[in-house]
Structures are given as structure tokens and as C-alpha cells.
């Protein structure tokens, strides 16, 4: 009996153990089936993927309430509050800034650095170029994003470009930088030089991959300028919207590498955004999440940059895009509020002759849907180019420069000729007026000088003047009397002679 009692618990334990083991086997089988039906995944460590797993947090960071610069523009649509410490929304075509929060504050860009790296690489190296990597691939932070490239391994430039922009491979970025520049520092010098050429004033790179360094920084405005320039490259645009790319077997690695796009807004899923054209993610512990994203709707292409966003970089980006697409529209020639600036006579003349419609149509300037301030422009002509600067109230929106048509150039020449003739006529009238005023001024000056000298004489000048005046009057009266007497005498003589003739 005792033996039966002891065996029963043992049998129960074995049954439970068997059930647990069977459950594990079933789970493993399901996982195997799932992996077999899906594309192979890159098994290398990708910290950015982990960082992109946004979680709900009840606490609102202090940065959420930081000042939004664009909200201070009079009559400008109020932009959303975001967690990102700095953020910007820019029109890719015109460079106009629609949303601004701390856009000139320096922050670490993390892997968004690779936009500059890839742009230079795509410009300088053909896609079919074979790049053999050196020991430089080992000079990256342990645990940072990579695809497992080994020294001596060879990839094409095409493979490298996708590895840099989709998989954010740090070692590939450094290897390509070394290949192009001879050394990584020399390539970084090219990065900094290009940044200056693009108008970046607060950017300095020290590496090609974005791994943290206190001297490696940029701003939301500068990064938007870099992103704007990169977007002009058709190959770059094609790569950033690609869901995945397969790197074929190499001379060292005997298996394919599947590279997945890290940017979740361009992929199907919870973070997908309608109209997203791709972009670049970034993350380091000290930089936090950084994100550059492009989106297009109704013919308007915008780029959004958020930096130092540790909580909701995707949600912030969506909120800023929604703000831009909802509150702004393209400026059109038939906008009744659009007028030349008061002193811009050339602009007024060209508008009256209907010559600016095509220019405005191609300007790509965005204006608030519900404009509360005046919309004006200033036109200037330099050689064969027409430049138009646009203003919303006193705020400069942007400018557009394009080649002037022959008709427009002819009209501008006619206007300038009329202006010169008008100025010459006005100058001639001014000369005549000045001459007559000069004569009056000279007479006034003469009598003024006489009066000044008279006032300088001593006090006895007044009695002397009285006596002189009396003597002058006495002289005149005496002269008149003499003249009258002389006339009378002559008359008497004539009468006397007439009488003498009659008596004879």
C-alpha cells in the first residue's frame, strides 16, 4: 500500500513533465514553420530596432512643453507640442520652414549621419564598383548595428548603399568612407565641407556612421538641409523606400544577407503613414532616437526631422506631418491676397501684364490655408534670372529663382526704359525748380545781407536815416516844383509868340 502511495505522485510528475515538453516542441515547430514562410532575417545586432519599439509612458518629458518657434509668427497656424527636444518641418522643393522647435540647437544625429555618407557615396562611386573592406570594419562600438562584414570581404557599391541606408550598418559606412577618402578622417572632411556648401552653420561630423562623439553634432535645420539635398538624388529616393534588400553571397560569407528597412512609417504596420517616402532612423543611448522622414501628399513633399526624442519619435513625426498637410497649401496665381510689395514697382508692372502667373505657379511656396496676414512678394531681375521673395506679413516664407522668358525680359526692359525716362523728366523739372529757387535765394540773400549790415550800425542810424529820408523828399518836391515852373514858362513863351504873329 505504501508503495502505491509513493508511485502515484511520481506518475503525476512524469505526466506534467511530458505535457510541458510537448508544449515546447509544438511551440518550436510553429516558430520553424513561421520562419520558413517568411524572408530570412539579418541576425546581427540592431539596437535601432530595439529603440524603435515605442512604449506608452505616463510621464510627459519636460521637453514636451518647450517653446515652438513657429508659433510666435503672427497669424501662423499653431503647431503641435511634441516630445522631441528639437524638430523641423520643411518643404523639400522650396526649403520653406513650416514648423520649428529649437531648430538651431545642437544635438547628436546618431545614424541620421548616414544620409550625408550615402549621398556622397552615391555621387562619387558607381553602383557596380567592387569595394573590399579592411580592418576598419572592426573599429565600431561593440554591440552597435552591423551586418557582420569581415576584413577582406568584397561588396558592390549597390550592396553598400542599401546596407548603409536600410540596415544602418556602421562598419559598412566606415569602410565606404575609407574607400572614397583614402582614410575615414579625409572622407569626414568632405562631409563637413559639403555641409557648409549646403548652408549648414551648426554641423560638425567626426565619423561617417553617427556613433556618439561629443564633437559630432548637427541641428534640425542643418539636417533638414542635408536631407533636402540627398532627396534630389533619384537612387537615394529609391533606396529609402525599399522594404528589404538581399545582399548575395560574397567571397567570404557563403550565405545571403537580408537587410530590412528600419523606418517603420514606410512599412505596413501600426506605424505606417500614408504618403511616407522613407527616411533614416538613428539611435544611441546619449543621442536618443533621431528620425528623418519624407512624405508626399497632393503634390507637396515635406521632410520632418526630430532629434533627441526618447519616447515618441514616430508619433511626433506623424503629428507634425498632419499639421503641415492640414494647415498649408501651395500658393497659386489666383490667390487674391497675393500682391507686390508697395515699393516693388517692377513686380506691380509685371503682374499687371500677366507675366508672373507661371513664376508663382512654379514657386512651390506654401501658405497657411486660412491666411491672416498679407501675402506679398518682391521681384528682382539679375541677368536672365527672375527672383521672387515671398512674405507672410513681415515673415519671409522663401524665394524662387528661375530663368526669365523672352517675353518677360522684354517687358522688364520696357519698364526699365520707362523708369529711366520718368527719372530724367523728374530730374529736368527738379533742375528748373532749383534754378528759379536759386535766383530767389540770391536776391533774398542780397537784401538779407544789406539788412544784416544795417542792423550792425550804431543807434544814431535811425535819426540819420530820418534826416536822409527828409532831405530826399525835400529834394524830390523841389525838383517837381522846378519842373512844373519850367513847363509853365514854356507855355507862356508859346502863347506870346502866337500873339506876336497875329499882330503882325
Amino acid at each position: 500500500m505504501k508503495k502505491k502511495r509513493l508511485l502515484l505522485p511520481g506518475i503525476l510528475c512524469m505526466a506534467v513533465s511530458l505535457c510541458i515538453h510537448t508544449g515546447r516542441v509544438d511551440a518550436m515547430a510553429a516558430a520553424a514553420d513561421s520562419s520558413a514562410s517568411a524572408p530570412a532575417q539579418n541576425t546581427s545586432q540592431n539596437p535601432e530596432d530595439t529603440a524603435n519599439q515605442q512604449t506608452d509612458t505616463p510621464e510627459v518629458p519636460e521637453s514636451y512643453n518647450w517653446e515652438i518657434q513657429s508659433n510666435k509668427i503672427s497669424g501662423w497656424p499653431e503647431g503641435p507640442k511634441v516630445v522631441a527636444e528639437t524638430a523641423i518641418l520643411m518643404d523639400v522643393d522650396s526649403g520653406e520652414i513650416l514648423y520649428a522647435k529649437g531648430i538651431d540647437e545642437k544635438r547628436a544625429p546618431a545614424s541620421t549621419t548616414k544620409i550625408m555618407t550615402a549621398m556622397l557615396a552615391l555621387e562619387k562611386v558607381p553602383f557596380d564598383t567592387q569595394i573590399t573592406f579592411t580592418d576598419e570594419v572592426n573599429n565600431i562600438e561593440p554591440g552597435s548595428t552591423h551586418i557582420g562584414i569581415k576584413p577582406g570581404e568584397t561588396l558592390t557599391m549597390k550592396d553598400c548603399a542599401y546596407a548603409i541606408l536600410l540596415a544602418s550598418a556602421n562598419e559598412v559606412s566606415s569602410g565606404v568612407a575609407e574607400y572614397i577618402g583614402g582614410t575615414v578622417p579625409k572622407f569626414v572632411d568632405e562631409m563637413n565641407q559639403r555641409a557648409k556648401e549646403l548652408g549648414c552653420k551648426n554641423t560638425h561630423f567626426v565619423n561617417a556612421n553617427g556613433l556618439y562623439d561629443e564633437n559630432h553634432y548637427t541641428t534640425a535645420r542643418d539636417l533638414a538641409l542635408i536631407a533636402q539635398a540627398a532627396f534630389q538624388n533619384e537612387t537615394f529616393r529609391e533606396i529609402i523606400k525599399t522594404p528589404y534588400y538581399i545582399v548575395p553571397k560574397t567571397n567570404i560569407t557563403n550565405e545571403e544577407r537580408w537587410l530590412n528597412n528600419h523606418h517603420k512609417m514606410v512599412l505596413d504596420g501600426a506605424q505606417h503613414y500614408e504618403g511616407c517616402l522613407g527616411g533614416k532612423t538613428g539611435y544611441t543611448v546619449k543621442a536618443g532616437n533621431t528620425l528623418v522622414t519624407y512624405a508626399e501628399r497632393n503634390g507637396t513633399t515635406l521632410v520632418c526631422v526630430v532629434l533627441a526624442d526618447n519616447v515618441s519619435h514616430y508619433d511626433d513625426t506623424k503629428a507634425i506631418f498632419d499639421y503641415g498637410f492640414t494647415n498649408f497649401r501651395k500658393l497659386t496665381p489666383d490667390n487674391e491676397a497675393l500682391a507686390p510689395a508697395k515699393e516693388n514697382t517692377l513686380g506691380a508692372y509685371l503682374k499687371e501684364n500677366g507675366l508672373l502667373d507661371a513664376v508663382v505657379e512654379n514657386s512651390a511656396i506654401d501658405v497657411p490655408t486660412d491666411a491672416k496676414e498679407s501675402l506679398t512678394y518682391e521681384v528682382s531681375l539679375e541677368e536672365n534670372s527672375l527672383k521672387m521673395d515671398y512674405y507672410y506679413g513681415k515673415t519671409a516664407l522663401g524665394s524662387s529663382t528661375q530663368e526669365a522668358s523672352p517675353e518677360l525680359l522684354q517687358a522688364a526692359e520696357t519698364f526699365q526704359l520707362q523708369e529711366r525716362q520718368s527719372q530724367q523728366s523728374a530730374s529736368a523739372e527738379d533742375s528748373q525748380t532749383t534754378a528759379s529757387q536759386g535766383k530767389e535765394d540770391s536776391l533774398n540773400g542780397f537784401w538779407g545781407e544789406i539788412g544784416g549790415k544795417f542792423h550792425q550800425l550804431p543807434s544814431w542810424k535811425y535819426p540819420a536815416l530820418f534826416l536822409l529820408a527828409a532831405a530826399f523828399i525835400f529834394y524830390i518836391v523841389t525838383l517837381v516844383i522846378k519842373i512844373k515852373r519850367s513847363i509853365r514858362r514854356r507855355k507862356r513863351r508859346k502863347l506870346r509868340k502866337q500873339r506876336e504873329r497875329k499882330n503882325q
Side-chain angles (χ1 to χ4, degrees):
M1 197 66 185
K2 289 182 180 179
K3 288 183 178 179
K4 289 182 180 179
R5 288 177 182 174
L6 291 172
L7 287 172
L8 184 59
I11 294 170
L12 290 174
C13 289
M14 289 176 65
V16 170
S17 177
L18 180 62
C19 290
I20 293 173
H21 176 72
T22 304
R24 285 178 180 172
V25 171
D26 290 343
M28 290 175 65
D33 291 341
S34 174
S35 62
S37 61
Q41 301 295 312
N42 177 25
T43 57
S44 60
Q45 196 169 2
N46 292 325
E48 290 180 20
D49 286 341
T50 303
N52 289 333
Q53 302 290 330
Q54 294 185 180
T55 57
D56 295 330
T57 54
E59 285 189 30
V60 177
E62 181 183 350
S63 58
Y64 181 77
N65 293 310
W66 288 1
E67 180 184 74
I68 299 171
Q69 295 157 285
S70 50
N71 285 354
K72 299 177 73 175
I73 301 173
S74 177
W76 201 254
E78 185 173 352
K81 289 184 176 182
V82 294
V83 172
E85 293 183 9
T86 73
I88 191 171
L89 182 66
M90 175 189 285
D91 187 296
V92 171
D93 296 319
S94 67
E96 179 184 355
I97 297 173
L98 305 182
Y99 178 92
K101 177 182 178 181
I103 61 175
D104 293 316
E105 296 177 13
K106 296 175 182 177
R107 293 293 187 276
S111 286
T112 57
T113 299
K114 296 182 176 81
I115 294 175
M116 173 66 85
T117 303
M119 177 172 65
L120 292 178
L122 291 172
E123 291 174 351
K124 293 175 178 293
V125 185
F127 249 16
D128 58 356
T129 303
Q130 298 286 325
I131 297 178
T132 300
F133 293 87
T134 68
D135 288 337
E136 182 62 42
V137 296
N138 295 324
N139 294 331
I140 61 171
E141 246 177 57
S144 65
T145 308
H146 64 86
I147 63 170
I149 298 297
K150 304 173 181 64
E153 193 162 7
T154 300
L155 298 181
T156 65
M157 182 61 232
K158 181 179 180 180
D159 298 333
C160 293
Y162 279 91
I164 292 170
L165 290 172
L166 294 192
S168 201
N170 289 316
E171 86 280 29
V172 177
S173 300
S174 297
V176 169
E178 182 186 45
Y179 175 83
I180 296 173
T183 63
V184 172
K186 287 185 178 179
F187 180 82
V188 171
D189 288 342
E190 293 184 36
M191 294 171 65
N192 287 319
Q193 179 60 35
R194 186 60 177 277
K196 289 180 181 178
E197 292 171 359
L198 293 174
C200 300
K201 297 181 179 179
N202 296 291
T203 293
H204 184 258
F205 298 118
V206 297
N207 59 54
N209 49 38
L211 290 173
Y212 184 81
D213 187 292
E214 62 180 10
N215 293 316
H216 188 94
Y217 54 81
T218 188
T219 66
R221 186 202 297 267
D222 287 358
L223 191 51
L225 290 173
I226 295 169
Q228 180 190 28
F231 198 75
Q232 307 311 309
N233 188 301
E234 183 179 357
T235 304
F236 176 88
R237 296 197 302 270
E238 184 64 30
I239 293 173
I240 61 173
K241 68 180 181 182
T242 303
Y244 67 91
Y245 176 80
I246 303 173
V247 177
K249 299 175 183 179
T250 69
N251 58 319
I252 291 180
T253 302
N254 193 29
E255 62 181 13
E256 296 175 338
R257 292 181 173 95
W258 287 69
L259 310 180
N260 297 309
N261 195 328
H262 290 182
H263 202 304
K264 298 184 182 301
M265 290 176 70
V266 77
L267 304 173
D268 292 334
Q271 299 295 351
H272 177 75
Y273 187 80
E274 188 65 32
C276 181
L277 302 175
K280 185 71 192 76
T281 61
Y283 174 80
T284 67
V285 174
K286 292 184 179 179
N289 286 304
T290 63
L291 191 65
V292 175
T293 312
Y294 304 91
E296 186 273 333
R297 288 184 185 177
N298 300 320
T300 298
T301 304
L302 305 178
V303 59
C304 178
V305 176
V306 294
L307 298 176
D309 192 333
N310 292 321
V311 178
S312 53
H313 50 302
Y314 283 122
D315 289 340
D316 286 351
T317 298
K318 290 178 182 179
I320 294 172
F321 271 137
D322 287 344
Y323 160 80
F325 288 124
T326 302
N327 291 283
F328 296 89
R329 62 184 178 84
K330 289 296 181 188
L331 181 64
T332 57
D334 58 0
N335 191 310
E336 295 179 356
L338 182 64
K342 291 181 179 179
E343 298 180 356
N344 192 225
T345 53
L346 174 60
Y349 178 82
L350 294 176
K351 183 179 182 180
E352 289 174 3
N353 288 273
L355 296 171
L356 293 181
D357 289 356
V359 180
V360 175
E361 192 74 42
N362 296 325
S363 66
I365 292 295
D366 301 294
V367 296
T369 304
D370 182 19
K372 298 177 181 178
E373 295 287 332
S374 61
L375 291 168
T376 58
Y377 59 84
E378 292 184 1
V379 176
S380 59
L381 195 64
E382 299 178 1
E383 296 181 354
N384 293 331
S385 296
L386 183 78
K387 182 183 179 183
M388 292 187 70
D389 297 302
Y390 298 88
Y391 297 88
Y392 181 72
K394 295 181 179 179
T395 302
L397 295 179
S399 62
S400 62
T401 302
Q402 52 190 284
E403 186 176 352
S405 65
E407 184 182 11
L408 195 149
L409 289 173
Q410 181 62 43
E413 289 178 4
T414 301
F415 171 77
Q416 291 171 349
L417 178 61
Q418 293 175 355
E419 285 284 287
R420 284 195 295 270
Q421 291 174 346
S422 177
Q423 290 174 359
Q424 289 172 358
S425 299
S427 179
E429 291 178 3
D430 290 343
S431 298
Q432 292 177 356
T433 303
T434 303
S436 60
Q437 288 180 349
K439 292 179 181 178
E440 292 178 5
D441 292 343
S442 62
L443 289 173
N444 292 335
F446 171 76
W447 290 113
E449 186 178 355
I450 294 299
K453 290 183 178 180
F454 175 77
H455 286 298
Q456 292 177 359
L457 295 174
S459 58
W460 51 263
K461 61 189 174 185
Y462 296 105
L465 182 61
F466 176 76
L467 292 174
L468 182 61
F472 180 74
I473 292 171
F474 176 77
Y475 171 76
I476 294 297
V477 171
T478 303
L479 182 61
V480 169
I481 292 173
K482 285 184 177 181
I483 292 173
K484 286 183 176 181
R485 286 178 179 176
S486 176
I487 292 172
R488 287 173 187 162
R489 282 196 297 269
R490 289 178 182 175
K491 285 182 178 181
R492 283 197 293 268
R493 287 175 185 170
K494 286 182 179 180
L495 289 173
R496 193 180 302 122
K497 287 182 180 179
Q498 289 176 357
R499 287 173 186 170
E500 287 178 354
R501 288 174 185 168
K502 287 180 180 181
N503 292 334
Q504 292 177 355

